[in-house]
Amino acid sequence: MNVNQSAPPVPPFGQPQPVYPGYHQSSYGGQPGSTAPPTHYGAYNGPVPGYQETLAPGVSRAPPSLGAPPATTAQTPCGQAAYGQFGQGDVQNGPSSTVQMQRLSGSQPFGSAPLAPVVSQPTVLQPYGPLPTSSQVTAQLAGMQISGAMAPAPPTLGLGYGPPTSLASASGSFPNSGLYGSYSQGQAPPLSQTQGHPGAQPPQRSAPPQASSFTPPASGGPRMPSMSGPLLPGQGFGGPPVSQPNHVSSPPPQVLPPGTQMTGPPGPPPPMHSSQQPGYQLQQNGSFGPGRGPQPNYGSPYPGAPTFGSQPGPPQPLPPKRLDPDAIPSPQLNELPPQQKTRHRIDPDAIPSPIQVIEDDRNNRGSEPFVTGVRGQVPPLVTTNFLVKDQGNASPRYIRCTSYNIPCTSDMAKQAQVPLAAVIKPLARLPPEEASPYVVDHGESGPLRCNRCKAYMCPFMQFIEGGRRFQCCFCSCINDVPPQYFQHLDHTGKRVDAYDRPELSLGSYEFLATVDYCKNNKFPSPPAFIFMIDVSYNAIRSGLVRLLCEELKSLLDCLPREGRAEESAIRVGFVTYNKVLHFYNVKSSLAQPQMMVVSDVADMFVPLLDGFLVNVNESRAVITSLLDQIPEMFADTRETETVFAPVIQAGMEALKAAECAGKLFLFHTSLPIAEAPGKLKNRDDRKLINTDKEKTLFQPQTGAYQTLAKECVAQGCCVDLFLFPNQYVDVATLCVVPQLTGGSVYKYACFQVENDQERFLSDLRRDVQKVVGFDAVMRVRTSTGIRAVDFFGAFYMSNTTDVELAGLDGDKTVTVEFKHDDRLNEESGALLQCALLYTSCAGQRRLRIHNLALNCCTQLADLYRNCETDTLINYMAKFAYRGVLNSPVKTVRDALITQCAQILACYRKNCASPSSAGQLILPECMKLLPVYLNCVLKSDVLQPGAEVTTDDRAYVRQLVTSMDVAETNVFFYPRLLPLTKSPIESTTEPPAVRASEERLSDGDIYLLENGLNLFLWVGASVQQGVVQSLFSVSSFSQITSGLSILPVLDNPLSKKVRGLVDSLRAQRSRYMKLIVVKQEDKLEMLFKHFLVEDKSLSGGASYVDFLCHMHKEIRQLLS
Amino acid sequence: MATYLEFIQQNEERDGVRFSWNVWPSSRLEATRMVVPLACLLTPLRERPDLPPVQYEPVLCSRPTCKAILNPLCQVDYRAKLWACNFCFQRNQFPPAYTGISEVNQPAELMPQFSTIEYVIQRGPQSPLIFLYVVDTCLEEDDLQALKESLQMSLSLLPPDALVGLITFGRMVQVHELSCEGISKSFVFRGTKDLTAKQIQDMLGLTTPAMPMQQARPQEHPFVSSRFLQPIQKIDMNLTDLLGELQRDPWPVTQGKRPLRSTGVALSIAVGLLEGTFPNTGARIMLFTGGPPTQGPGMVVGDELKVPIRSWHDIEKDNARFMKKATKHYEMLANRAATNGHCIDIYACALDQTGLLEMKCCANLTGGHMVMGDSFNTSLFKQTFQRIFSKDFNGNFRMAFGATLEVKTSRELKIAGAVGPCVSLNVKGPCVSENELGVGGTSQWKICGLDPTSTLGIYFEVVNQHNAPIPQGGRGAIQFVTQYQHSSTQRRIRVTTVARNWADAQSHLRHIEAAFDQEAAAVLMARLGVFRAESEEGPDVLRWLDRQLIRLCQKFGQYNKEDPTSFRLSDSFSLYPQFMFHLRRSPFLQVFNNSPDESSYYRHHFARQDLTQSLIMIQPILYSYSFHGPPEPVLLDSSSILADRILLMDTFFQIVIYLGETIAQWRKAGYQDMPEYENFKHLLQAPLDDAQEILQARFPMPRYINTEHGGSQARFLLSKVNPSQTHNNLYTWGQILL
């Protein structure tokens, strides 16, 4: 939409036009009160209202004020400050801006761009400072404008400046743009403005008056694209009706006036508001439209907003006064000092906020079930809790797409550069409210399939000739309906029994496979689990072996079972190893287990058959005896060397000998340096980082493991690896087999029973108990026109179409990329059918089918309106993480940035309303793309910090490969939850805040989680009572840093926090160990690493900086 | 010739030596004309209750190439305290300890009655006996159970300080660790992969980095080998339990398949294990197998039942796919074991063949036992096995280990070779002949396992030239030096020194003729024949034997041309042709009606038994029992089969009691139970008692067959007797048979 996404967002929201008025209000009324989160917004609102009000009056004032005082005063200070800080560099983008700004003008990459904006912003802020005195509103406006002004000023000062500014101004003249711009830079969305800023500002000046009405929206908009929405409402409220009207209406009117000057920018907003302009921005908006949801959110945020204001600290008073300009100013005044520091930055609140988007979606779409009947619907975000009703398409829990509307031609697709991909999780677990797929038994004839393309019967198949034949929806082949399957059609051409048959009415269902679908034409036997335990010195000393053996005794009762089966069909076996392997005969008839040592590791084999894999209940006594004895037997071992490949080989051979599929649980501690196949050497070399050879760190040392993995896959032997390294173990190589066999890897560095017991046991329990499909083959069929061309995930492929998975559990995801090989048809859309053939844990062979129909479009705007950023990021991260195997990391990063820029540039060029080049306009659906992408770029794999080990990187790389959308979402953009903000009584999760240090208040406590880590951050000035009730110590200083368990205390806060921790853990597939971090403590570095909107120590850009950079890239592409 | 017979017998009793010729032809030319080579049967450890070993070390000739041991034949100068070696004529000083000797105070080794004397070496380590059981688990349940019991029983027979080890095999090979508590532990090896000794030791964790392989160092042993070879007193209970828990090989054997049996690898591991831990220490690897090796190195037959194991027919047609490779494998193992002084026993019990043909060298080259039976659950096996652990009058096992036999000759003689359970040590010397008979080219042989009856045939060549006659009254001398580890773990040396007169064959042919030992000659010729039969075609060997016999008769017989009835042989040769006749028919040279395994088995025993037993093997003994008098030996001829006789035949491998037609009918009628026919009862009992006596003494236990006229088992008798009466020449006999 508009540069300032804000604008677009607004409009989109507005778009609901019809709703609009009501919307705002309604939302307003309700929301303000309700929404706590809006705190941020609050601030917004605050200003906004101020703006609006001021606008009229302020306009005049502002300009003047701006003109005179700000420019000089503000600028100078700014400049100085900026400089000073700049020099320091990292501290703030803003500061440097001045300098950089100039460069920027020259067109600079990252820094410069951000800087530029920053500058403007800082200026803006400064203006605030001064302005506030007069009046907040003015201040803000002034700020806005000032920034503009400032910018202009600098230009005058700075050589480069001038021109861009002016230009920008021209383009961005629109208040929106202008305002946004100033924000936007920082805050991307608003106005592309970074440059626009300088330029924009001037325009603003001019515009301000006009825009006065505008400005507010602008301001609103700028703040947060998401915010913008809220702002509007807020405004509406505050000056509410007026403001809104202003907003809405104003834009148009303004448009006109601005139109003259800045038609472009204003344009966008108007459309949004006025549905009339639809074609134009409507579409875009349309996309927003969905975002519409936000409006309500906005509303809600709004209310929060007030609180928001409070967040900074003093703002609290604001909330009530949001609307009251005066009130606002005062806080600002108060804040002045702190602000000065930050003032050089772009206002982070003005750039698209993931939190807001998530919150909006949650509020809008969380309440009603998602019904899958309609083709091409974009499902709610992964962060939203929603129910799914399967009415013919697979639930988004099974399949999510980057876009639900596919370009009809490959040219379009190429132009847009939006990857077409589906993230498929075939065995996803469903919430208890949703039924798992029906199992269809077609008897001996097996499932009905198309004769040509072999697609399975699905709801999209077209029955013709009175039901005697059906036309395949994938390849159009006409097939006869077998007599036993015949059924009459009703008047609509539907089979009469359509609703009695899952395969004709549901998106997901299962077929019972016939013997033709089984290996060697024999029904499989129940799978087996083999526990393979490292008993070398390290494993014994750390207490791992004892712990594990103890746990296994009870865990063996919890093996996965099918349905309501009384006992699990799975058999178990045990192996221990160091340099040699020890197999155990635990046959039920033995009095004592027998140990069989195989030292021929070069040529591994299984020394026994009978008695190795046993039924737990039958052999319980022997197994217990074994598990008791293992820790004793090796208690005084001195063997430090281990083997690895032979262990896997042994497990695989054992399964082969038993003729079943199964899973190996490997518990391994060290680099396998003993003489054996798969022997590894320590090749960790940090010097390779950032060189062309860095990729070798991610590649396996030897090809032996690939070969081994291939054999494992052929046998249906899935490998789960638990690593307990004290030092480098070459995860990149060790993970090859788990990765290719669909297994999981867990890593517990420096494992110590006291500290890591809970985490390990929890992971182990979950891993052992989870339902797994074995010996699986997955195939994705598509309707003519597109084709699955690339696959990402933990699996093996021996040809280009079949995804072979030795094991597949409910956490594993396969990302599939599609490419055109023909034209698609808008009417028929595009179909996906994912068929997974697998063996259930009871040994039943089944086929699980997921179908999904997508829309096709001839207009790019449709594509952009139906995208899902989270999925996109999932794909891009996997793509990039695979890329590091073959290309230097830098190349991979650049490619990501380029692609992102291309996507956005294409949008800008083809879908957004004409606007100043200085504006950054993001599609509503993708407004989070930059922030998320930045997180990907900053991730350990692509930009390692000094403290990140090679193993960690390889580990993460491996993990991400099979993550689903929800996991990548939180992994790349961690959730940061304030704990003491919301009332203790509230049972819901507190609203998250953005992952940035400046969002942390030192009087508060926060939880941060990313799916792998969980931190509890304690501000230095947290109330003593809180400390007492949480930690049972009397003061902040007495809290143990690094604490991993919260004391169990009987008070509401403690209960609530612990409850929250538990519920967070329950949401994730891996146990997150809690780490308590105190503000200013040395552990805080670790914590800060996850504040992804900030600049990272390893050189990762801050959100604002990146946005600026992205804007610059886009501009380059467009020019 | 009673004198010669006595002389021979005396010599045999004293020295355990029997020569084919007791007066030696004095030149090479004459010797070759004698047809039967100058050779002897030597029983190195013949039991001599009257010969207590002396507790000091022998005195050696100081000439480095000679080193003969002081013996009664040496010239001694008591005053100068010098002695002259009777082999090289070197004059030697007596060692200081002998200062007190004089003509009246002779050391034992100088007394003529001590031509055989045994020394006990006091220095050097005493290593415990080692028994390593290698047990096949691919057995039927009954068999395995019986075997387990036998093995458990054997533990009680072992000396408490003996080291024992256990390896079991089937599809895999398991080396059991014997010292574990709780969980029983074993190392497992793939049955299809041959491993070098080094690999085996690595995998068993036997190699300690800084320990170079060297001669046995007893101190190190307990440490290094403690896991797999343990003193029986320590792990008696453990091992008994372990054996008790042994299960049949659990791998499924599908219809139409043989179980996969990794005998080759199991043996290889056993050899490797001992090689690494106890080189040059007496040890016994005891292989118990119930079928042919079917996989891995040393496999003899595939696992497809539809492909039968090789027969002689297949071998002649060169159709035995695995034979050569397997034989090579076992030969390699046998040689390694022999090098380290370990012997390998094979106890094969199965109805079908078990691959003894391929594995025979393991026992043959190392002096191990070979026992073949139908099942481990038979008294044949059980008693045979028990007998291995029998003890002599001193309470010591009748077994010796790691022996080296050295032969020294006086100058007119050279050593041509040996036939017996030995391997050549390849020690060349002046007394080694270039013409080989048996295992030649050496003057020393290694015999890893010996018992008091183990007998070698040793062949000599007279090298004295015809034109350099030996002075009248000259004597040739031979010294046999056997160093071995006694079962009491002492090292001992037994020295036998013999001498015979030379005679000029032209002038004293009668003399020589009279001193011919036809029994020894028959056995020695038979050994040569059997040795040849191992490598040559059967008919060639028979032809060779025939020719030798003809030449002998030509030389020593008296006859008129064209008159067969005029042929006469002197008494000392009279039985020889008969022996040859039965030898030709014996399973040692005839393979018809014998499987390759049986042939190997028979030949194995033939090559190591003493003269008496060997003769029984060549010509079974037949006794006849009747009311007419005491039992009498009768001709091994069909004419000896009479209705009113009971026959007892001893072929060494079988003992057959055969009731004549009438006797059988009487017994059927129950006369033996009637008091008035008690004599009949006694008659029936007599052969049984005699058979029992033989059974008690013999190793291995013969197959005991009690049959009667018309019984199916009577074939054992009928196949042995000389078919002088057949349907061709005795009508009635044929009728009777019908």
Side-chain angles (χ1 to χ4, degrees), chain A residues 500-512:
Chain A
D500 299 334
R501 290 187 177 269
E503 76 273 21
L504 296 181
S505 56
L506 296 179
S508 304
Y509 43 87
E510 293 198 329
F511 287 117
L512 272 191

Side-chain angles (χ1 to χ4, degrees), chain B residues 56 81 127 148 173 255 320 324 328 428-429 497 554 606:
Chain B
Y56 52 83
K81 308 280 187 258
S127 6
K148 277 151 63 169
V173 180
Q255 192 83 36
K324 280 203 179 108
K328 208 174 147 201
K428 308 285 187 209
T497 315
Q554 234 175 350
F606 186 71

